[in-house]
Amino acid sequence: MTNSVPLPPPADAPGAEQQPPPGRPELRRSTTDRMAGGVCGGLADYSGIDTVLWRVGFVGLTVAGGAGVLVYLLLWVLMPAGPARSDETPSPLERLVQRLHDALTGRRAASPR
């Protein structure tokens, strides 16, 4: 019996490419997939679970006892914001959340000079 599928060369064989394993993205709030704060979009990017399922989960937690709102607000403050687009200025609410995040994580906001 013969194997019709060629086996890949061993990793230490000459000419074998060494590729690093694919990395997981950082847990950050999304700047593109957002309805309120980008929390569900960031969780979807990080976990690979669709954004709609995260939103349904938070709504379910909210209906089941109100914990969804609290968890969402905590994640909004604790998750760092994703990279800002150059053509967009942050809203006053986003600036407030960023100041809260910096205060909770112990980072100092950059002061203008």
Side-chain angles (χ1 to χ4, degrees):
M1 197 148 82
T2 62
N3 189 357
S4 63
V5 178
L7 296 174
D12 58 349
E17 295 180 22
Q18 293 289 340
Q19 295 181 351
R24 184 174 243 179
E26 290 185 35
L27 180 59
R28 296 185 165 277
R29 288 184 285 125
S30 176
T31 56
T32 56
D33 187 8
R34 61 188 308 159
M35 287 184 107
V39 172
C40 292
L43 288 170
D45 290 342
Y46 183 75
S47 67
I49 298 172
D50 190 46
T51 309
V52 174
L53 294 176
W54 282 107
R55 290 181 181 134
V56 168
F58 281 113
V59 169
L61 284 173
T62 301
V63 170
V69 174
L70 179 64
V71 171
Y72 190 90
L73 291 174
L74 283 173
L75 286 173
W76 193 354
V77 171
L78 294 176
M79 285 174 61
R85 296 186 304 206
S86 60
D87 62 338
E88 187 176 297
T89 58
S91 68
L93 183 60
E94 278 297 319
R95 289 194 299 265
L96 172 68
V97 169
Q98 186 62 41
R99 283 196 308 266
L100 285 171
H101 176 76
D102 291 342
L104 289 174
T105 58
R107 281 195 264 157
R108 300 253 182 219
S111 60
R113 292 183 182 187

